[in-house]
Amino acid sequence: MTTDIQTEPERDERIGRPRVLERLVVRPEIGALIGAIVVFLFFSIVTDQFLTTGGVAVWLDDAATLGIMAVAVSLLMIGGEFDLSAGVMTASTALVTAIFAANVGLNLWVALLLSLLFALAVGLFNGVLVMRTGLPSFIITLGMFLALQGLNLGVTKAVTGTVQVSGVASAPGYESVGFFFASTFELFGTQFRVSILWWIAFTAVAALILVRTKPGNWIFAVGGAAQSARAVGVPLVGTKIALFMTTAFAGWLVGNINVLRFTTVQANQGIGLELQFIIGAVIGGCLLTGGFGSAVGAAVGALIFGMARQGIVFAGWDSDWFMLFLGVMLLAAVLVNNALRRRAERVRR
Amino acid sequence: MTGPTSPISQDVLLGVEQLSKSFGNVRALRDISLWLPRGQITALVGDNGAGKSTLVRVLSGVHQPDHGRVTFAGQPVRFADPQAARLAGIETVHQNLALVDELTVWQNLFLNRELVRRLGPFAVLDRGAMQVKAREMLARLSVNVPPVRAKVQRLSGGQRQAVAIARAAGWGSKLVIMDEPTAALGVQETARVEELIAGLRAEGMTILLISHNFEQVLRLADRVWVLRSGALAGGRLTTETTGEELVGLVTGAIAG
């Protein structure tokens, strides 16, 4: 073997060197980025408040908790699975923390830890069940969704006699825990929520893992071609279970950001949010079939959500219009992504 | 027992002795004994259901034999899983190639063998090094080189085969098992892949070739083993047999 590795091997004449624009266009998050710019410009022009620092703080805050979940769900979807229990999970984890802190009287840090253990156990259960049975995660996590929903209401009623848990603010440790999960920081004379920092950090870590580490490669492989991944020795089962647990972990983070901020939690919270997480991930470029997508794209998808939801409020419109907007946005994103992918595939031969 | 008698002086890389494997009532392999000379291309032929795939799966660690023994590089071996076979130096190119379409050529070559560099407490992918090494691995095959940064999805059938073979041959492996490497290819691409396989032998690689194409077997291989209904029907040197004889052994028209 005396091949000179410096010289570029002869290219197949049928495959031209991809141009910069073409490379950009096949990136999964490109559709979401364009959408975000359009929505941003639209509400910046239509409303006065949108572009003020106060306005920015509001829509970033709205996007933050959704964004954390959308990013986790995007990893799971790239890995080829769904989690319909993710929405209710944000309520369950909040309830566990609140009940242990306000009703049992534990230190909030301890309650937080128990809540984390609960979340990871649910994620592990989801993952193990999906991998053991080989059933679609859609159906397994639908079951978990219903079970958690019932558990949230049942346990809350049994413990408090009502459908909400409150009194977290008076629990020991609230000051220090609140600093991490529910404080604000000042920027340009405006108070921003700390949840925004969690969102940015979570997205950055997820994106780095996805495109710069071994497990990131494995996520694409198990979602895109499970049999091939298994054949070259990728730990398929472990990777997928870890993804379910990551989603549950994100549910824990978001649930506790919420409960520490509002200090009460409704037992029926979180229902329906799971679809918003999936929508955020899909707008961000994830395929429903797995193997393709982007964590940054999902964060941008959530940003579109936050901007639109609050932009509609700033504009003084009825919030019912948000659903229309959401539907149009989702369809537009899917159509654009589909067209770009077709184009990318046509270049193939 | 049929076939040439055991090689006494020949350098054998892999030997199989009286191997049997059943699935329930189905005896997929019955008392198979054969060997693969080092540095040669050995072909394995047989009709559908003759046991070729089962034998390959045993050799690559997917299945474990019920009876009999396998020796590899002079040592008795028993692979618990494909990873164990891979670590010992046996790579298999499956018929479906086991490539991930959405990943690039270099990502596929390095899937589960990624090169990493330390960045503080973290291990991050060394993409540059992997791309350079990937070019090196493909350039070694010298034919039909696909660009390493293209997604596998965009490659032609022959290029995909080249990537899969480059991966199998590129990790210090001693034996490469190829399951129907040209079954899905056109005439030109078949010729290129055959060139590639012959090139590997020229480098000293030992190859087990599963093929339905007897002309290809006679063209490429040094030795051929024929399976019929889970048993060995015969073994021949390709220089001493014909396509007709192979057909006879496969169908049972010749007793072996």
Side-chain angles (χ1 to χ4, degrees):
Chain A
M1 275 208 303
T2 53
T3 320
D4 183 4
I5 60 166
Q6 298 305 319
T7 58
E8 185 93 343
E10 202 182 322
R11 284 175 179 278
D12 189 299
E13 65 279 4
R14 288 165 302 177
I15 298 176
R17 189 182 276 276
R19 278 169 296 147
V20 176
L21 189 68
E22 215 148 73
R23 295 184 68 102
L24 203 67
V25 146
V26 298
R27 294 209 52 83
E29 57 276 80
I30 196 75
L33 267 175
I34 295 168
I37 292 168
V38 170
V39 172
F40 176 80
L41 290 178
F42 178 75
F43 285 110
S44 296
I45 294 164
V46 170
T47 73
D48 299 328
Q49 240 182 317
F50 191 79
L51 209 51
T52 62
T53 50
V56 172
V58 168
W59 52 258
L60 279 182
D61 175 40
D62 189 355
T65 46
L66 180 68
I68 292 170
M69 293 308 294
V71 167
V73 166
S74 75
L75 296 190
L76 182 67
M77 283 177 70
I78 295 169
E81 304 291 344
F82 290 101
D83 187 354
L84 295 182
S85 67
V88 171
M89 185 63 124
T90 62
S92 298
T93 51
L95 285 166
V96 171
T97 303
I99 288 173
F100 276 117
N103 296 79
V104 180
L106 295 178
N107 185 293
L108 252 178
W109 284 108
V110 179
L112 218 57
L113 187 69
L114 292 172
S115 174
L116 177 62
L117 291 178
F118 167 80
L120 293 178
V122 172
L124 180 69
F125 185 81
N126 275 341
V128 168
L129 210 57
V130 168
M131 298 318 294
R132 277 282 167 84
T133 60
L135 288 168
S137 52
F138 191 90
I139 210 73
I140 299 277
T141 59
L142 180 63
M144 181 57 82
F145 162 64
L146 297 173
L148 285 180
Q149 195 180 332
L151 205 61
N152 287 355
L153 275 165
V155 171
T156 305
K157 269 189 183 163
V159 172
T160 68
T162 67
V163 290
Q164 67 169 32
V165 184
S166 51
V168 173
S170 53
Y174 178 73
E175 288 300 313
S176 53
V177 174
F179 173 75
F180 282 101
F181 291 95
S183 60
T184 58
F185 61 96
E186 196 177 304
L187 206 65
F188 306 116
T190 305
Q191 295 295 317
F192 286 81
R193 283 275 160 193
V194 74
S195 55
I196 299 168
L197 297 183
W198 280 108
W199 175 37
I200 293 169
F202 193 82
T203 306
V205 170
L208 278 176
I209 289 176
L210 196 58
V211 296
R212 284 287 186 272
T213 70
K214 270 179 170 225
N217 263 5
W218 298 346
I219 292 171
F220 280 106
V222 299
Q227 287 316 310
S228 298
R230 205 196 283 270
V232 294
V234 170
L236 177 101
V237 172
T239 303
K240 291 208 175 193
I241 289 177
L243 286 173
F244 279 106
M245 292 178 75
T246 303
T247 309
F249 171 81
W252 170 79
L253 182 58
V254 169
N256 285 291
I257 286 173
N258 286 338
V259 72
L260 288 159
R261 174 164 166 190
F262 300 111
T263 69
T264 66
V265 47
Q266 305 291 326
N268 63 352
Q269 241 168 256
I271 296 165
L273 290 183
E274 62 283 341
L275 287 181
Q276 296 194 6
F277 307 153
I278 293 174
I279 292 167
V282 169
I283 289 178
C286 284
L287 286 185
L288 291 171
T289 46
F292 187 80
S294 149
V296 173
V300 176
L303 184 65
I304 293 176
F305 252 82
M307 288 196 296
R309 190 151 48 194
Q310 299 307 323
I312 284 169
V313 174
F314 291 151
W317 302 337
D318 196 314
S319 63
D320 295 343
W321 290 107
F322 175 66
M323 276 303 175
L324 172 67
F325 169 84
L326 197 60
V328 172
M329 191 65 217
L330 178 63
L331 285 176
V334 172
L335 290 175
V336 168
N337 287 341
N338 194 37
L340 293 178
R341 276 186 68 76
R342 283 247 182 91
R343 195 184 134 73
E345 274 168 33
R346 216 178 307 125
V347 179
R348 196 204 298 190
R349 276 167 206 185
Chain B
M1 205 59 241
T2 56
T5 48
S6 194
I8 291 151
S9 59
Q10 204 167 18
D11 189 6
V12 170
L13 178 64
L14 181 133
V16 172
E17 284 168 50
Q18 314 225 298
L19 195 79
S20 295
K21 174 75 186 173
S22 298
F23 300 99
N25 288 331
V26 181
R27 296 183 67 193
L29 295 176
R30 290 180 287 162
D31 276 338
I32 303 279
S33 296
L34 49 76
W35 66 92
L36 310 183
R38 194 187 298 268
Q40 293 191 3
I41 299 177
T42 305
L44 184 64
V45 301
D47 217 341
N48 291 337
K52 303 188 297 291
S53 298
T54 307
L55 180 58
V56 167
R57 289 199 190 110
V58 169
L59 296 182
S60 60
V62 178
H63 296 321
Q64 284 67 49
D66 297 336
H67 303 287
R69 43 184 241 142
V70 179
T71 53
F72 186 66
Q75 301 292 320
V77 288
R78 194 176 173 84
F79 303 125
D81 54 43
Q83 194 67 18
R86 205 170 288 128
L87 287 175
I90 299 179
E91 286 281 343
T92 307
V93 181
H94 296 279
Q95 216 168 339
N96 64 12
L97 302 184
L99 298 175
V100 181
D101 279 358
E102 288 289 356
L103 295 181
T104 61
V105 169
W106 69 265
Q107 282 173 316
N108 267 286
L109 286 174
F110 283 88
L111 188 56
N112 205 29
R113 280 173 167 137
E114 293 87 351
L115 303 179
V116 293
R117 60 194 158 85
R118 309 300 306 183
L119 199 74
F122 306 107
V124 297
L125 296 180
D126 194 342
R127 296 158 74 97
M130 282 191 276
Q131 290 178 11
V132 168
K133 180 95 195 299
R135 284 199 189 96
E136 199 180 332
M137 285 164 77
L138 289 165
R140 172 182 169 195
L141 302 178
S142 73
V143 284
N144 206 13
V145 176
V148 295
R149 285 169 68 182
K151 280 192 177 182
V152 163
Q153 195 176 45
R154 295 177 58 168
L155 304 186
S156 69
Q159 286 178 323
R160 296 161 68 92
Q161 192 75 46
V163 172
I165 293 175
R167 179 170 66 186
W171 297 102
S173 45
K174 301 187 184 88
L175 168 65
V176 176
I177 302 174
M178 298 186 193
D179 195 355
E180 300 268 5
T182 60
L185 302 182
V187 178
Q188 276 197 328
E189 298 212 297
T190 298
R192 284 178 153 188
V193 169
E194 284 183 6
E195 222 176 294
L196 199 156
I197 295 170
L200 285 181
R201 174 180 49 189
E203 282 185 16
M205 185 71 77
T206 307
I207 293 162
L208 177 61
L209 174 72
I210 289 85
S211 181
H212 268 118
N213 182 338
F214 295 147
E215 283 175 32
Q216 179 176 64
V217 166
L218 295 175
R219 217 166 31 232
L220 271 180
D222 303 287
R223 173 184 296 274
V224 51
W225 298 104
V226 184
L227 293 185
R228 186 171 67 230
S229 312
L232 192 70
R236 297 285 185 275
L237 294 173
T238 50
T239 49
E240 293 170 3
T241 187
T242 61
E244 273 167 38
E245 188 184 20
L246 289 180
V247 171
L249 286 167
V250 165
T251 58
I254 299 173

